Amino acid sequence: MRFLPTDEQSDFTRTLRGLLAAAAVPAVVRSWSAGAYGPGRALWTRLADTGLFALAAPQEYEGLGALPVELALGFVELGRAAVPGPLAETVGAVVLLSELGDGALAKRFLPALLSGEALATVVLADGGPYAVDASATDHTFTVSATGELRLAAPGPVSELASLDPARHLSRPAPGGELLATGPRVTAAAAVALHWARLMTAAQSLGVGEALLARTVEYAKQRTQFGVPIGSFQAVKHRLADTLLALEFARPLVWAAALSLAPWEIAAAKVSAGEAGYRAALSALQLHGAVGYTEELDLSLWLRKARPLRDAWGSPSTCRAEVLTPALNRRTG
Amino acid sequence: MDLTHTPEVTAFRAKARAWLRANVPDAPLPSLETAEGFAAHREWEARLAADRWSVVSWPEEYGGRGADIVKWLVFEEEYFAAGAPGRVSQNGINLLAPTLFDHASPEQRARVLPPMASGEVIWAQAWSEPESGSDLASLTSRAERTDGGWLLSGQKTWSSRAAFADRAFGIFRTDPEAAKPHQGLTYLMFGLRAPGVTVRPIGRLDGKPAFAELFLDRVFVPDEDVIGEPGQGWRIAMSTTGNERGLTLRSPGRFLAAADRLTRLWRERADPADTALRDRVADAVIGARAYELFTWTNASRFAAGQTIGAESSLNKVFWSEYDIALHESALDLLGADGELADGPWAEPWIFSLAGPVYAGTNEIQRDIIAERLLGLPKGRR
Ligand SMILES: Cc1cc2nc3c(=O)[nH]c(=O)nc-3n(C[C@H](O)[C@H](O)[C@H](O)COP(=O)(O)OP(=O)(O)OC[C@H]3O[C@@H](n4cnc5c(N)ncnc54)[C@H](O)[C@@H]3O)c2cc1C
């Protein structure tokens, strides 16, 4: 029993953090939001070069072996940096394709997805109605309630604005190439959904961490009544509660990545999603009016927190899953 | 990262489980906050001690099993899952004993620890005073030098279980001239039935005499009952508060067991349409798991040679607020029956309500989190 990241795991997150710190992500987010995907795709390739997406696939498909813990740790960093794009969706697509047990299909798509050459998004029957960033990706996969896996027909998509301008929402066009069908698709989609949900939880945690760190810095510098606002107890206590929520969500994310048990993933999603969103509300409040502007980079995280909380399983959906008897049995 | 236990830990768990299954009383003991219950709990402590289950983490020479933190956590999980009685000796075991291990002489350890482990001597904590709660360093009870020891005078209050306990440990002012309030304090132990001590039980919210105030009139304490150096009482006492808020006061086993009971109650009683209540029950399950995992993270840090400092304040705020929410959900599930004072959730609910007040109020804990973990500037206090 050693419930802490190993040295290798910490090294990997450090590498990612360094890469993202040097990448001027806020500018990337702003162009991604405006529909200029070039800088985002360039960043994507560099992320793929670290092996990030390969952590979602087994070695037989040129992955690094399915390593959910490492992947989740990496997704915390993506959230912390506010990286845009179909991140959890890519993981969902990769897991879906690797779980199908169809070598030809896997070989057709996976190598380019893992290397970052191609981008994909995915819509699963139980994972919400919208495709995220279909306009930015090369493939949109859909799985219907009856277990049909399709590649959406190419062509322009009409977009619906998200509360987070860095997420481009659309409804996948009906039809498209039928790639596979039957119970194995449904089973693979269930696994894919849980991975996507877990990665969304990890991303929420990172978003919350970034919001807290920025707000703590601001509270130390902004003075009112002649003292830093961070010396006021009401401000301190709100920030203490933000830390508390994040620190108790973190081990849930780790444990869920270790076990991949659906109830643990649901628990991690509820906690991290709520902690990230609460961190956003505190960040907004403690920044005062400047926090309510889109110019301040803070807005990039502020607008992400709520959609992430609700994507891939709302808090209510996940809470119900925690109490599903077949799913939540513990050791004894 | 890895949450699987070694075969040795698994074997330890099995042994603890078997013993508890054979020994935990079938019917719950009367409340330990009553004279009758206190006596029954003392017997339970003796039974635990006879088979060396009362202080598993202590060295064997003092009646323990030398269990590391992982085994201790596993034991606690089994203890609560078995529905075993609350520990009447907990203040001594959780608050005084760690201080003795760190600061006492070998003679003191040999004299004090074994009867603490067996429940023969039950300890109360005498820190708070009527005018010194959150601002504990402002305390005014004195210890004056006398031949071969000290004379205690003053008043202590809110001393848990002091109504029925045998001895107490506390901090007293030995140098009223010291430059700062937390200097010139001395940490010592005294008998609750010694000449000069008057114990007045105080009824807590439900009327049970769960704590007491102590009036001290020139109570003699021999030098051998001073812990550490005279004048160093604050530093020594603070090394205990970390324990109190941190890992040892509330083991996750307690909340895992409570969340299980709540889930069972929900399955028996819940209106399926009440999704708001369902969500709160789910939150109780999630919270117990989060607390368990947070504790395992800290245990791993300990095992890796790191120390836990102000992080223990995160623990304290979390479990105390969690505990109330869990018990409120149980009362809501019970509906009209929640009002019954003898119901299974009533006393635990009453107990939970004090969590944000004792062991350092949650306001003070949040200050510590903000200042020491987030580095925010100190405000006026
Ligand atoms: C069930 C129970 C058992 C206890 N057992 C023991 C025991 O065994 N031994 C013992 O010595 N003591 C014990 N206590 C006492 C406990 O430690 C004190 O109650 C606690 O330290 C708070 O002190 P107080 O009650 O004097 O409240 P006060 O310090 O007067 O505080 C009152 C309120 O004001 C707030 N407040 C005070 N200062 C600040 C500040 N700077 N910033 C913000 N808010 C502030 C507090 O947080 C609190 O909400 C027990 C208490 C309870 C309820």
Side-chain angles (χ1 to χ4, degrees):
Chain A
M1 206 284 304
R2 184 186 186 278
F3 196 44
L4 285 177
T6 61
D7 289 344
E8 296 76 41
Q9 288 165 343
S10 302
D11 286 346
F12 175 64
T13 54
R14 247 194 308 278
T15 306
L16 266 185
R17 199 182 290 193
L19 185 162
L20 291 166
V25 181
V28 176
V29 184
R30 290 185 188 283
S31 29
W32 187 273
S33 301
Y37 299 125
R41 289 194 67 131
L43 176 60
W44 198 274
T45 314
R46 296 175 59 202
L47 287 170
D49 288 345
T50 67
L52 181 72
F53 301 118
L55 294 169
Q59 285 170 345
E60 53 184 310
Y61 301 138
E62 296 179 33
L64 289 168
L67 295 169
V69 174
E70 284 73 6
L71 195 59
L73 291 170
F75 265 65
V76 174
E77 299 308 316
L78 302 181
R80 192 205 302 274
V83 173
L87 291 159
E89 293 71 23
T90 293
V91 170
V94 168
V95 171
L96 176 68
L97 290 165
S98 7
E99 285 284 313
L100 278 174
D102 179 338
L105 211 49
K107 292 211 169 86
R108 176 173 158 198
F109 294 106
L110 284 180
L113 289 181
L114 301 185
S115 70
E117 270 163 61
L119 268 63
T121 193
V122 64
V123 180
L124 305 178
D126 296 331
Y130 301 114
V132 175
D133 289 323
S135 57
T137 58
D138 307 281
H139 315 296
T140 299
F141 299 100
T142 63
V143 174
S144 70
T146 54
E148 288 185 350
L149 167 60
R150 289 178 184 274
L151 186 61
V157 291
S158 75
E159 288 186 342
L160 302 156
S162 159
L163 289 168
D164 175 4
R167 289 162 64 86
H168 302 91
L169 304 182
S170 59
R171 287 190 182 271
E177 180 188 348
L178 183 65
L179 298 176
T181 183
R184 67 198 174 109
V185 173
T186 308
V191 181
L193 177 126
H194 286 119
W195 280 67
R197 180 175 288 170
L198 174 62
M199 294 310 137
T200 310
Q203 228 181 319
S204 291
L205 184 62
V207 165
E209 285 178 4
L211 286 160
L212 174 62
R214 283 173 169 255
T215 310
V216 166
E217 276 322 299
Y218 186 74
K220 286 183 195 168
Q221 271 139 38
R222 172 76 173 169
T223 63
Q224 288 295 288
F225 304 100
V227 291
I229 58 167
S231 65
F232 298 130
Q233 208 172 39
V235 171
K236 277 189 195 168
H237 287 193
R238 190 146 186 179
L239 290 169
D241 284 337
T242 305
L243 179 68
L244 198 75
L246 292 167
E247 289 306 324
F248 281 87
R250 184 189 317 281
L252 285 168
V253 171
W254 292 353
L258 272 175
S259 74
L260 291 178
W263 85 271
E264 295 229 64
I265 292 174
K269 180 69 173 48
V270 173
S271 302
E274 296 283 15
Y277 178 50
R278 297 286 143 198
L281 295 183
S282 298
L284 177 54
Q285 179 67 20
L286 299 180
H287 275 80
V290 72
Y292 199 65
T293 61
E294 70 166 338
E295 277 137 66
L296 195 71
D297 280 346
L298 189 76
S299 70
L300 307 180
W301 287 269
L302 284 179
R303 291 186 290 191
K304 214 171 257 322
R306 178 80 197 194
L308 287 179
R309 168 187 177 271
D310 299 330
W312 292 105
S314 68
S316 182
T317 303
C318 290
R319 286 187 169 105
E321 190 144 334
V322 166
L323 289 177
T324 304
L327 299 176
N328 76 351
R329 277 335 312 144
R330 296 178 39 82
T331 45
Chain B
M1 263 187 246
D2 179 9
L3 272 171
T4 52
H5 291 305
T6 62
E8 199 199 333
V9 170
T10 309
F12 177 82
R13 183 194 287 281
K15 208 163 152 185
R17 185 177 293 182
W19 189 88
L20 288 161
R21 192 167 292 154
N23 287 277
V24 169
D26 292 333
L29 302 183
S31 164
L32 59 77
E33 314 294 6
T34 61
E36 179 205 7
F38 209 86
H41 278 77
R42 248 190 225 273
E43 277 175 34
W44 168 246
E45 299 282 336
R47 189 141 138 207
L48 277 170
D51 290 332
R52 285 195 302 123
W53 291 109
S54 73
V55 285
V56 294
S57 62
W58 291 11
E60 295 194 9
E61 57 179 311
Y62 303 121
R65 291 172 175 262
D68 63 11
I69 185 135
V70 171
K71 282 193 191 151
W72 177 76
L73 285 165
V74 162
F75 173 74
E76 290 277 302
E77 212 175 285
E78 292 300 322
Y79 191 89
F80 285 100
R87 300 293 302 276
V88 72
S89 59
Q90 57 175 299
N91 274 9
I93 291 170
N94 294 332
L95 306 181
L96 178 57
T99 310
L100 295 176
F101 283 121
D102 287 350
H103 302 281
S105 68
E107 181 278 323
Q108 286 175 319
R109 287 202 279 265
R111 176 162 51 90
V112 175
L113 292 173
M116 182 193 291
S118 67
E120 198 181 320
V121 174
I122 299 218
W123 290 84
Q125 180 196 27
W127 286 19
S128 303
E129 296 184 6
E131 301 303 325
S132 301
S134 297
D135 184 11
L136 184 63
S138 69
L139 62 88
T140 58
S141 291
R142 300 182 315 280
E144 287 166 86
R145 202 75 184 104
T146 188
D147 263 3
W150 302 80
L151 291 172
L152 309 185
S153 303
Q155 186 185 346
K156 295 286 179 179
T157 191
W158 314 127
S159 189
S160 289
R161 287 174 282 283
F164 309 112
D166 307 292
R167 286 176 69 74
F169 51 98
I171 355 177
F172 291 82
R173 197 161 292 287
T174 42
D175 179 7
E177 311 292 312
K180 294 203 177 134
H182 46 267
Q183 290 169 357
L185 297 168
T186 298
Y187 202 150
L188 42 74
M189 305 176 272
F190 59 97
L192 286 170
R193 281 182 278 279
V197 180
T198 309
V199 177
R200 189 184 77 84
I202 305 173
R204 70 168 175 196
L205 215 51
D206 64 356
K208 294 192 180 110
F211 35 32
E213 53 185 347
L214 315 174
F215 299 91
L216 307 166
D217 182 13
R218 298 174 68 77
V219 178
F220 178 73
V221 174
D223 280 327
E224 62 184 29
D225 279 344
V226 171
I227 305 172
E229 289 297 307
Q232 295 299 308
W234 185 257
R235 192 176 56 80
I236 295 168
M238 286 309 112
S239 71
T240 318
T241 57
N243 286 305
E244 182 172 9
R245 290 171 207 142
L247 285 177
T248 54
L249 185 62
R250 290 287 174 268
S251 63
R254 175 196 192 99
F255 301 116
L256 292 169
D260 264 0
R261 286 175 62 216
L262 181 70
T263 313
R264 260 181 274 135
L265 184 68
W266 177 73
R267 292 199 201 293
E268 284 159 21
R269 286 250 187 176
D271 165 4
D274 190 347
T275 53
L277 196 46
R278 178 204 69 192
D279 283 358
R280 286 163 58 201
V281 173
D283 282 341
V285 173
I286 295 170
R289 180 66 170 157
Y291 186 63
E292 177 189 26
L293 294 166
F294 184 84
T295 307
W296 286 117
T297 316
N298 277 340
S300 301
R301 294 216 165 94
F302 268 132
Q306 301 171 24
T307 53
I308 313 291
E311 287 82 356
S312 63
S313 295
L314 290 170
N315 257 50
K316 201 270 154 161
V317 176
F318 186 88
W319 66 249
S320 58
E321 297 196 337
Y322 170 81
D323 206 22
I324 295 180
L326 183 146
H327 286 91
E328 283 175 339
S329 301
L331 294 192
D332 286 348
L333 276 165
L334 291 171
D337 292 344
E339 185 181 342
L340 300 174
D342 288 330
W345 292 91
E347 179 153 349
W349 171 70
I350 290 280
F351 184 69
S352 76
L353 294 181
V357 173
Y358 64 79
T361 70
N362 284 8
E363 284 78 17
I364 300 297
Q365 302 312 315
R366 287 186 166 94
D367 281 353
I368 294 174
I369 293 166
E371 289 168 13
R372 300 210 207 134
L373 299 181
L374 295 176
L376 290 166
K378 269 191 183 298
R380 221 184 93 76
R381 224 195 327 284

